[in-house]
Amino acid sequence: MTASTHKLDHIAISVKSHMLLRQLLRENPILEEIMQNARNETEVLVGVRNWILEEIKKNKNTYHFYKREKHGREAFEKLSWKDFAAIRILDYIDNAGREFEDPNLRGELAISNPIHLIWLAVTHGTGGAKPSFFKDMLMLFRQFSGEYKRNTPSKEQVEEWMDRWCSGLDPRIIKLREENKERIIKIIIQKIDKGEITHSKFSFPAGLSQEQKYLKALEWWEDQLFHLKFAVKSPDLLNELLDNSLDPDTMKVLYEAEAKGIPFFVNPYYLSLLHVRVPYFAVGADLAIRYYVIYSQKLVDEYGNIVAWEKEDKVKPGEPNAAGWYLPNDHNIHRRYPEVAILIPDTMGRACGGLCASCQRMYDFQRGNLNFNLDKLKPKESWDEKLDTLLDYFEKDSQLRDILITGGDALMSSDKSLAKILDRVYTMAANKVAANKSKPDGEKHAHILRIRLGSRLPVYLPQRVTPELVKILGDFKKKAAKIGVQQFFMQTHFESPMEVTPEARNAIKLLMSAGWTVTNQHVFITAASRRGHAAKLRKVLNEIGIINYYTFSVKGYMENSFNFATNERAVQEQMEEKVIGKIPEKYYSTIKEFPNNAGAIEKEMAQLMQESGLPFLGTDRNVLNLPGVGKSLTFRTIGITRYGRRILEFELDHTRKHSPMMKQMDKVIIIESKSLSGYLRQLEDIGEETSDYESIWGYSIGETEQRIPIYDYPDYDYKLTNNYTNLKEETSS
C-alpha cells in the first residue's frame, strides 16, 4: 500500500456516506455480520468471497462465465440479473488492492478495494469513500439479494421515449431555423457594411439596397466557401450570432477556451441549427448539437495536458505501433487491424467543418497537427510524391483490402485534391490486382474491396455536396468497380435527429446517386444518451437511406468527462432500446445486398422495415474505441474508486480478425471519468427523470454484438496468403 493510499484510508467518511452505509448493512445482515466479525482486511475479503461463491456455484453456467471458461454473446445472454451482481462482487475481490494509473487524473494511481473500504467505514468510520461509492455498492448488493430487479421497458415505452425527440425535418423546426438563418445573414451583412469582415468573393457592389444585399447573401448561403470563410472563430461573434443568448457562465468558459488556444470554428449553417427561441415542443432537443459547439470547463482545464487516447497514435520512426504494424510515418497512416488502414492526407482534409467538443483527436489539435488554418493546409508540391509513398504501403501489403480516407475530414479536401487522391487510390488498387496475376493461389495478396471516405460535412456543411463532387465520386466508383472494388462507403457522423435537415437529406441523396452507400457513426455523448434519442436518430437516418454503423461511447479522459456517457449506459441502451430494431436473421441476406445498389437503399430499407414491423434497423454496434485494441464492448467491471468511478477491464472484440501481436497485449483497463451518480445527476440537470434509467446500476458486464453481414468483406475468388507484411516479426496465422 502506498503512503498516499494509507493517508486516504484515514479520511473520515461524510454524513451522507454514513447514511448509505447504514442502509447497506440493514438490508444485508450477512454482509453486516461479516464486517462486524472480521478482524482484518483478509478475513473480510474471505468472508464475502465464500458467501458469494456459495451462491454462484449453484449455477454451473454462471460459475464458468465468472471463471472465464465461457464467453461470447450466447453465454452473456444466459446470465441473470443476479448473476451480473455476483460476478462483479467476486471480480472486486479478485482484484482487491490493484493499482491502476489513472489518465483522468494525469497519471495518479487509482486503487480498487471496495470491500476493504466498506470494512474501514464500518469499523473506523474512515476510508474516504464518497456517497457515489456507497450508492453504487448499495445498488450492487440489492441486485445480488434480488431486491433490485430489472424492469425492461416495453416496445411501446421505447417508442414513447423516441417520440420526445424532434427531427430537423419537422416543419416547425424548419421554420425556426429559417428565422435563425435570417438573423445570422443580417448580422453578417452589417459586419460587411462596417468593414469588420471582408472577403473578395463575398462583397456587395455599390448602390445595393438592404433587401438586395439580403437576396445576394441568400445566394451565398448555398456556397460552401461562404460558410468556411465566415465561420465563427471567437466567443463574442458566436454569442452575437446566437442573439446574445449565451449566459455569463458559459461565456466565461468560452473566453478561457480562447485564451488556452482551443480553436473555434462554427460555420453559419451549423450555427443556425441551435435554438435561440426555445420552442415548447422541442425543449432540450438541440442539446446534442449545442454540446458539440459549446466547450465544457473540464475540456478547458485539461487542454494542454491531453494525452493521445489511441496508443497507435504514438509512432516512433522505425518502430512498430501499439498493434505491431510498421508505418511509413507518424501521422498519415493509422492502423490497428490486418484488413484496413486509415489514410490522412496532407491537404485541407486535415481540417474539419467545425471542431466537435468531444473530438477523438483533440490531442492532435492540441499539438497543432490538426487545425483550421485553411490556407496553410493547402497541399504542397511534395504532397504528390508523398502520396505515392503512402499508397505504396497499401499496394505492397498482403492483407489490406479496405482504405478509409479521413482526417480531419475527407470532404474538406478540394475537388481537385480529392480527385487526385482517388485517382492514385485507383492506380494502387489496379496494381494490386495486376501483381496478383503472377502469384500462385495461397500466396496472393488481398486486393482492395472497399473504399471509404470519412466525413461529417454532410451534417456540418451539406452545401459541400455539389454536382461536381458527385461526378468525381460517381466516375471513380464506375472505374474502380471494373477492377474488383465492390464497396464504396461514405462514412458520416450524425449526432442528433435535429441534424437531419432538408439540406442534409438532399446531400445524402446526391451521394447515393453517385453509387456510394452512406453509413453513420454516432458518438454517444451525454445529451445523445437520453432515453430514446439514439433510437430516434436511427429511425430518422433509415428514413433518408442511411445505414447505422457504430454507436461509440466517448473516448478520452477527463477532458471529455462532461460529454461522457458511461459504458453501462451504452449496454443499457443496447439491451433495452436498440433491441426493438433487432433484425431477424432471415433478413440478413437481404440487407447484405444493400451496398450493391446504393441508389435504391432508401426504398429497400423502407420495404424491409414495413415487412418486418421494425421501427428502425439496428445495424450498428454499441462499442468503445479502445486504445490499441480497437472497437469492443466486451468488458467486466473489476473495480471501483473511492469516488464511485468504475474500473472496467476490456477484451478484444472476438468477432473480428486482429493483428497477431494483439495476442501479446494485456487487457485494456478503462477508469470511467465520472461515477454513475454523477452521470445521473447530469441527466437530471438536463431534464431527465432518473427513474427511467434505474436499471443502469446493474449493467456491469458487456459483450460485443455480432457484426451484421452488411459490413462483412466480400469473399475472394482465390486463396489468400496467410502471411503478414509490415508487421513486427513477420508472422503467419
PDB file of all heavy atoms in Angstrom, residues 593-619:
ATOM      1  N   GLU A 593     -27.143  -7.137 -49.374  1.00  0.00           N
ATOM      2  CA  GLU A 593     -27.114  -6.659 -50.755  1.00  0.00           C
ATOM      3  C   GLU A 593     -27.277  -5.136 -50.859  1.00  0.00           C
ATOM      4  O   GLU A 593     -27.115  -4.575 -51.938  1.00  0.00           O
ATOM      5  CB  GLU A 593     -28.214  -7.352 -51.566  1.00  0.00           C
ATOM      6  CG  GLU A 593     -28.017  -8.856 -51.730  1.00  0.00           C
ATOM      7  CD  GLU A 593     -26.721  -9.196 -52.444  1.00  0.00           C
ATOM      8  OE1 GLU A 593     -26.440  -8.549 -53.473  1.00  0.00           O
ATOM      9  OE2 GLU A 593     -25.987 -10.075 -51.967  1.00  0.00           O
ATOM     10  N   PHE A 594     -27.615  -4.479 -49.759  1.00  0.00           N
ATOM     11  CA  PHE A 594     -27.869  -3.034 -49.821  1.00  0.00           C
ATOM     12  C   PHE A 594     -26.740  -2.249 -50.508  1.00  0.00           C
ATOM     13  O   PHE A 594     -27.010  -1.408 -51.380  1.00  0.00           O
ATOM     14  CB  PHE A 594     -28.101  -2.470 -48.419  1.00  0.00           C
ATOM     15  CG  PHE A 594     -29.481  -2.743 -47.860  1.00  0.00           C
ATOM     16  CD1 PHE A 594     -29.791  -2.370 -46.560  1.00  0.00           C
ATOM     17  CD2 PHE A 594     -30.461  -3.354 -48.615  1.00  0.00           C
ATOM     18  CE1 PHE A 594     -31.051  -2.605 -46.024  1.00  0.00           C
ATOM     19  CE2 PHE A 594     -31.726  -3.604 -48.099  1.00  0.00           C
ATOM     20  CZ  PHE A 594     -32.016  -3.234 -46.797  1.00  0.00           C
ATOM     21  N   PRO A 595     -25.454  -2.465 -50.140  1.00  0.00           N
ATOM     22  CA  PRO A 595     -24.394  -1.661 -50.749  1.00  0.00           C
ATOM     23  C   PRO A 595     -24.224  -1.874 -52.242  1.00  0.00           C
ATOM     24  O   PRO A 595     -23.566  -1.067 -52.910  1.00  0.00           O
ATOM     25  CB  PRO A 595     -23.128  -2.116 -49.986  1.00  0.00           C
ATOM     26  CG  PRO A 595     -23.627  -2.701 -48.718  1.00  0.00           C
ATOM     27  CD  PRO A 595     -24.930  -3.343 -49.074  1.00  0.00           C
ATOM     28  N   ASN A 596     -24.801  -2.941 -52.773  1.00  0.00           N
ATOM     29  CA  ASN A 596     -24.651  -3.204 -54.206  1.00  0.00           C
ATOM     30  C   ASN A 596     -25.552  -2.334 -55.069  1.00  0.00           C
ATOM     31  O   ASN A 596     -25.416  -2.327 -56.294  1.00  0.00           O
ATOM     32  CB  ASN A 596     -24.939  -4.688 -54.495  1.00  0.00           C
ATOM     33  CG  ASN A 596     -23.928  -5.599 -53.820  1.00  0.00           C
ATOM     34  OD1 ASN A 596     -22.780  -5.208 -53.608  1.00  0.00           O
ATOM     35  ND2 ASN A 596     -24.350  -6.805 -53.480  1.00  0.00           N
ATOM     36  N   ASN A 597     -26.476  -1.617 -54.428  1.00  0.00           N
ATOM     37  CA  ASN A 597     -27.367  -0.728 -55.187  1.00  0.00           C
ATOM     38  C   ASN A 597     -27.695   0.480 -54.308  1.00  0.00           C
ATOM     39  O   ASN A 597     -28.802   0.601 -53.782  1.00  0.00           O
ATOM     40  CB  ASN A 597     -28.633  -1.472 -55.604  1.00  0.00           C
ATOM     41  CG  ASN A 597     -29.495  -0.663 -56.556  1.00  0.00           C
ATOM     42  OD1 ASN A 597     -29.111   0.437 -56.975  1.00  0.00           O
ATOM     43  ND2 ASN A 597     -30.665  -1.178 -56.881  1.00  0.00           N
ATOM     44  N   ALA A 598     -26.714   1.358 -54.136  1.00  0.00           N
ATOM     45  CA  ALA A 598     -26.844   2.476 -53.195  1.00  0.00           C
ATOM     46  C   ALA A 598     -28.050   3.346 -53.502  1.00  0.00           C
ATOM     47  O   ALA A 598     -28.727   3.829 -52.588  1.00  0.00           O
ATOM     48  CB  ALA A 598     -25.567   3.320 -53.215  1.00  0.00           C
ATOM     49  N   GLY A 599     -28.344   3.538 -54.766  1.00  0.00           N
ATOM     50  CA  GLY A 599     -29.444   4.417 -55.136  1.00  0.00           C
ATOM     51  C   GLY A 599     -30.806   3.920 -54.690  1.00  0.00           C
ATOM     52  O   GLY A 599     -31.757   4.699 -54.590  1.00  0.00           O
ATOM     53  N   ALA A 600     -30.911   2.620 -54.403  1.00  0.00           N
ATOM     54  CA  ALA A 600     -32.205   2.040 -54.023  1.00  0.00           C
ATOM     55  C   ALA A 600     -32.297   1.736 -52.529  1.00  0.00           C
ATOM     56  O   ALA A 600     -33.307   1.196 -52.077  1.00  0.00           O
ATOM     57  CB  ALA A 600     -32.444   0.755 -54.819  1.00  0.00           C
ATOM     58  N   ILE A 601     -31.261   2.072 -51.766  1.00  0.00           N
ATOM     59  CA  ILE A 601     -31.226   1.690 -50.343  1.00  0.00           C
ATOM     60  C   ILE A 601     -32.403   2.279 -49.565  1.00  0.00           C
ATOM     61  O   ILE A 601     -33.036   1.593 -48.758  1.00  0.00           O
ATOM     62  CB  ILE A 601     -29.890   2.109 -49.697  1.00  0.00           C
ATOM     63  CG1 ILE A 601     -28.772   1.167 -50.152  1.00  0.00           C
ATOM     64  CG2 ILE A 601     -29.988   2.082 -48.173  1.00  0.00           C
ATOM     65  CD1 ILE A 601     -27.409   1.504 -49.596  1.00  0.00           C
ATOM     66  N   GLU A 602     -32.709   3.542 -49.793  1.00  0.00           N
ATOM     67  CA  GLU A 602     -33.796   4.183 -49.047  1.00  0.00           C
ATOM     68  C   GLU A 602     -35.102   3.419 -49.227  1.00  0.00           C
ATOM     69  O   GLU A 602     -35.806   3.108 -48.253  1.00  0.00           O
ATOM     70  CB  GLU A 602     -33.964   5.633 -49.518  1.00  0.00           C
ATOM     71  CG  GLU A 602     -35.048   6.381 -48.772  1.00  0.00           C
ATOM     72  CD  GLU A 602     -35.201   7.823 -49.263  1.00  0.00           C
ATOM     73  OE1 GLU A 602     -34.341   8.291 -50.042  1.00  0.00           O
ATOM     74  OE2 GLU A 602     -36.188   8.471 -48.867  1.00  0.00           O
ATOM     75  N   LYS A 603     -35.398   3.076 -50.455  1.00  0.00           N
ATOM     76  CA  LYS A 603     -36.638   2.343 -50.750  1.00  0.00           C
ATOM     77  C   LYS A 603     -36.590   0.932 -50.169  1.00  0.00           C
ATOM     78  O   LYS A 603     -37.558   0.456 -49.571  1.00  0.00           O
ATOM     79  CB  LYS A 603     -36.836   2.281 -52.265  1.00  0.00           C
ATOM     80  CG  LYS A 603     -38.102   1.560 -52.700  1.00  0.00           C
ATOM     81  CD  LYS A 603     -38.211   1.536 -54.228  1.00  0.00           C
ATOM     82  CE  LYS A 603     -39.434   0.757 -54.678  1.00  0.00           C
ATOM     83  NZ  LYS A 603     -39.520   0.690 -56.165  1.00  0.00           N
ATOM     84  N   GLU A 604     -35.440   0.264 -50.306  1.00  0.00           N
ATOM     85  CA  GLU A 604     -35.321  -1.120 -49.832  1.00  0.00           C
ATOM     86  C   GLU A 604     -35.399  -1.199 -48.310  1.00  0.00           C
ATOM     87  O   GLU A 604     -35.982  -2.135 -47.755  1.00  0.00           O
ATOM     88  CB  GLU A 604     -34.009  -1.721 -50.343  1.00  0.00           C
ATOM     89  CG  GLU A 604     -34.021  -1.992 -51.846  1.00  0.00           C
ATOM     90  CD  GLU A 604     -32.677  -2.458 -52.374  1.00  0.00           C
ATOM     91  OE1 GLU A 604     -31.699  -2.444 -51.586  1.00  0.00           O
ATOM     92  OE2 GLU A 604     -32.594  -2.827 -53.550  1.00  0.00           O
ATOM     93  N   MET A 605     -34.826  -0.208 -47.625  1.00  0.00           N
ATOM     94  CA  MET A 605     -34.906  -0.203 -46.166  1.00  0.00           C
ATOM     95  C   MET A 605     -36.338   0.018 -45.709  1.00  0.00           C
ATOM     96  O   MET A 605     -36.798  -0.603 -44.745  1.00  0.00           O
ATOM     97  CB  MET A 605     -33.972   0.864 -45.576  1.00  0.00           C
ATOM     98  CG  MET A 605     -32.521   0.432 -45.553  1.00  0.00           C
ATOM     99  SD  MET A 605     -31.529   1.313 -44.320  1.00  0.00           S
ATOM    100  CE  MET A 605     -31.497   2.931 -45.032  1.00  0.00           C
ATOM    101  N   ALA A 606     -37.038   0.914 -46.386  1.00  0.00           N
ATOM    102  CA  ALA A 606     -38.437   1.171 -46.029  1.00  0.00           C
ATOM    103  C   ALA A 606     -39.274  -0.095 -46.196  1.00  0.00           C
ATOM    104  O   ALA A 606     -40.115  -0.418 -45.346  1.00  0.00           O
ATOM    105  CB  ALA A 606     -38.991   2.302 -46.897  1.00  0.00           C
ATOM    106  N   GLN A 607     -39.032  -0.834 -47.272  1.00  0.00           N
ATOM    107  CA  GLN A 607     -39.767  -2.080 -47.504  1.00  0.00           C
ATOM    108  C   GLN A 607     -39.460  -3.111 -46.427  1.00  0.00           C
ATOM    109  O   GLN A 607     -40.351  -3.794 -45.922  1.00  0.00           O
ATOM    110  CB  GLN A 607     -39.415  -2.638 -48.885  1.00  0.00           C
ATOM    111  CG  GLN A 607     -39.992  -1.837 -50.045  1.00  0.00           C
ATOM    112  CD  GLN A 607     -39.537  -2.356 -51.397  1.00  0.00           C
ATOM    113  OE1 GLN A 607     -38.569  -3.106 -51.503  1.00  0.00           O
ATOM    114  NE2 GLN A 607     -40.233  -1.937 -52.451  1.00  0.00           N
ATOM    115  N   LEU A 608     -38.175  -3.209 -46.061  1.00  0.00           N
ATOM    116  CA  LEU A 608     -37.787  -4.191 -45.055  1.00  0.00           C
ATOM    117  C   LEU A 608     -38.406  -3.856 -43.697  1.00  0.00           C
ATOM    118  O   LEU A 608     -38.897  -4.740 -42.991  1.00  0.00           O
ATOM    119  CB  LEU A 608     -36.259  -4.259 -44.946  1.00  0.00           C
ATOM    120  CG  LEU A 608     -35.677  -5.471 -44.211  1.00  0.00           C
ATOM    121  CD1 LEU A 608     -34.250  -5.743 -44.669  1.00  0.00           C
ATOM    122  CD2 LEU A 608     -35.674  -5.287 -42.698  1.00  0.00           C
ATOM    123  N   MET A 609     -38.405  -2.564 -43.337  1.00  0.00           N
ATOM    124  CA  MET A 609     -38.989  -2.169 -42.050  1.00  0.00           C
ATOM    125  C   MET A 609     -40.497  -2.425 -42.034  1.00  0.00           C
ATOM    126  O   MET A 609     -41.048  -2.856 -41.017  1.00  0.00           O
ATOM    127  CB  MET A 609     -38.666  -0.699 -41.756  1.00  0.00           C
ATOM    128  CG  MET A 609     -37.226  -0.476 -41.323  1.00  0.00           C
ATOM    129  SD  MET A 609     -36.880   1.215 -40.770  1.00  0.00           S
ATOM    130  CE  MET A 609     -36.829   2.090 -42.319  1.00  0.00           C
ATOM    131  N   GLN A 610     -41.146  -2.174 -43.155  1.00  0.00           N
ATOM    132  CA  GLN A 610     -42.587  -2.425 -43.226  1.00  0.00           C
ATOM    133  C   GLN A 610     -42.881  -3.919 -43.106  1.00  0.00           C
ATOM    134  O   GLN A 610     -43.775  -4.336 -42.359  1.00  0.00           O
ATOM    135  CB  GLN A 610     -43.149  -1.877 -44.538  1.00  0.00           C
ATOM    136  CG  GLN A 610     -44.663  -2.017 -44.645  1.00  0.00           C
ATOM    137  CD  GLN A 610     -45.202  -1.393 -45.927  1.00  0.00           C
ATOM    138  OE1 GLN A 610     -44.462  -1.071 -46.839  1.00  0.00           O
ATOM    139  NE2 GLN A 610     -46.512  -1.211 -45.993  1.00  0.00           N
ATOM    140  N   GLU A 611     -42.107  -4.728 -43.820  1.00  0.00           N
ATOM    141  CA  GLU A 611     -42.328  -6.169 -43.804  1.00  0.00           C
ATOM    142  C   GLU A 611     -42.029  -6.779 -42.433  1.00  0.00           C
ATOM    143  O   GLU A 611     -42.748  -7.658 -41.954  1.00  0.00           O
ATOM    144  CB  GLU A 611     -41.445  -6.834 -44.866  1.00  0.00           C
ATOM    145  CG  GLU A 611     -41.637  -8.341 -44.957  1.00  0.00           C
ATOM    146  CD  GLU A 611     -40.718  -8.970 -45.995  1.00  0.00           C
ATOM    147  OE1 GLU A 611     -40.278  -8.255 -46.919  1.00  0.00           O
ATOM    148  OE2 GLU A 611     -40.432 -10.183 -45.868  1.00  0.00           O
ATOM    149  N   SER A 612     -40.967  -6.296 -41.781  1.00  0.00           N
ATOM    150  CA  SER A 612     -40.538  -6.879 -40.505  1.00  0.00           C
ATOM    151  C   SER A 612     -41.248  -6.268 -39.304  1.00  0.00           C
ATOM    152  O   SER A 612     -41.202  -6.830 -38.201  1.00  0.00           O
ATOM    153  CB  SER A 612     -39.033  -6.694 -40.339  1.00  0.00           C
ATOM    154  OG  SER A 612     -38.705  -5.303 -40.259  1.00  0.00           O
ATOM    155  N   GLY A 613     -41.866  -5.102 -39.505  1.00  0.00           N
ATOM    156  CA  GLY A 613     -42.519  -4.416 -38.396  1.00  0.00           C
ATOM    157  C   GLY A 613     -41.545  -3.715 -37.472  1.00  0.00           C
ATOM    158  O   GLY A 613     -41.908  -3.317 -36.355  1.00  0.00           O
ATOM    159  N   LEU A 614     -40.302  -3.511 -37.926  1.00  0.00           N
ATOM    160  CA  LEU A 614     -39.289  -2.844 -37.103  1.00  0.00           C
ATOM    161  C   LEU A 614     -39.383  -1.330 -37.279  1.00  0.00           C
ATOM    162  O   LEU A 614     -39.546  -0.836 -38.402  1.00  0.00           O
ATOM    163  CB  LEU A 614     -37.887  -3.313 -37.499  1.00  0.00           C
ATOM    164  CG  LEU A 614     -37.582  -4.804 -37.295  1.00  0.00           C
ATOM    165  CD1 LEU A 614     -36.211  -5.148 -37.871  1.00  0.00           C
ATOM    166  CD2 LEU A 614     -37.637  -5.171 -35.821  1.00  0.00           C
ATOM    167  N   PRO A 615     -39.239  -0.550 -36.177  1.00  0.00           N
ATOM    168  CA  PRO A 615     -39.276   0.910 -36.305  1.00  0.00           C
ATOM    169  C   PRO A 615     -37.999   1.484 -36.914  1.00  0.00           C
ATOM    170  O   PRO A 615     -37.985   2.587 -37.438  1.00  0.00           O
ATOM    171  CB  PRO A 615     -39.439   1.384 -34.855  1.00  0.00           C
ATOM    172  CG  PRO A 615     -38.856   0.279 -34.027  1.00  0.00           C
ATOM    173  CD  PRO A 615     -39.138  -0.990 -34.782  1.00  0.00           C
ATOM    174  N   PHE A 616     -36.921   0.722 -36.831  1.00  0.00           N
ATOM    175  CA  PHE A 616     -35.640   1.092 -37.444  1.00  0.00           C
ATOM    176  C   PHE A 616     -34.813  -0.182 -37.556  1.00  0.00           C
ATOM    177  O   PHE A 616     -35.163  -1.221 -36.973  1.00  0.00           O
ATOM    178  CB  PHE A 616     -34.885   2.154 -36.623  1.00  0.00           C
ATOM    179  CG  PHE A 616     -34.612   1.740 -35.193  1.00  0.00           C
ATOM    180  CD1 PHE A 616     -33.521   0.940 -34.872  1.00  0.00           C
ATOM    181  CD2 PHE A 616     -35.442   2.158 -34.169  1.00  0.00           C
ATOM    182  CE1 PHE A 616     -33.278   0.553 -33.563  1.00  0.00           C
ATOM    183  CE2 PHE A 616     -35.205   1.774 -32.855  1.00  0.00           C
ATOM    184  CZ  PHE A 616     -34.117   0.965 -32.550  1.00  0.00           C
ATOM    185  N   LEU A 617     -33.717  -0.109 -38.294  1.00  0.00           N
ATOM    186  CA  LEU A 617     -32.840  -1.264 -38.451  1.00  0.00           C
ATOM    187  C   LEU A 617     -31.619  -1.078 -37.556  1.00  0.00           C
ATOM    188  O   LEU A 617     -30.796  -0.188 -37.793  1.00  0.00           O
ATOM    189  CB  LEU A 617     -32.410  -1.422 -39.914  1.00  0.00           C
ATOM    190  CG  LEU A 617     -33.551  -1.552 -40.936  1.00  0.00           C
ATOM    191  CD1 LEU A 617     -32.985  -1.729 -42.342  1.00  0.00           C
ATOM    192  CD2 LEU A 617     -34.472  -2.720 -40.573  1.00  0.00           C
ATOM    193  N   GLY A 618     -31.494  -1.919 -36.536  1.00  0.00           N
ATOM    194  CA  GLY A 618     -30.381  -1.806 -35.588  1.00  0.00           C
ATOM    195  C   GLY A 618     -29.133  -2.469 -36.137  1.00  0.00           C
ATOM    196  O   GLY A 618     -28.655  -3.477 -35.601  1.00  0.00           O
ATOM    197  N   THR A 619     -28.585  -1.901 -37.205  1.00  0.00           N
ATOM    198  CA  THR A 619     -27.406  -2.480 -37.855  1.00  0.00           C
ATOM    199  C   THR A 619     -26.100  -2.021 -37.212  1.00  0.00           C
ATOM    200  O   THR A 619     -25.026  -2.492 -37.595  1.00  0.00           O
ATOM    201  CB  THR A 619     -27.374  -2.100 -39.348  1.00  0.00           C
ATOM    202  OG1 THR A 619     -27.505  -0.678 -39.465  1.00  0.00           O
ATOM    203  CG2 THR A 619     -28.501  -2.769 -40.105  1.00  0.00           C
TER     204      THR A 619
END
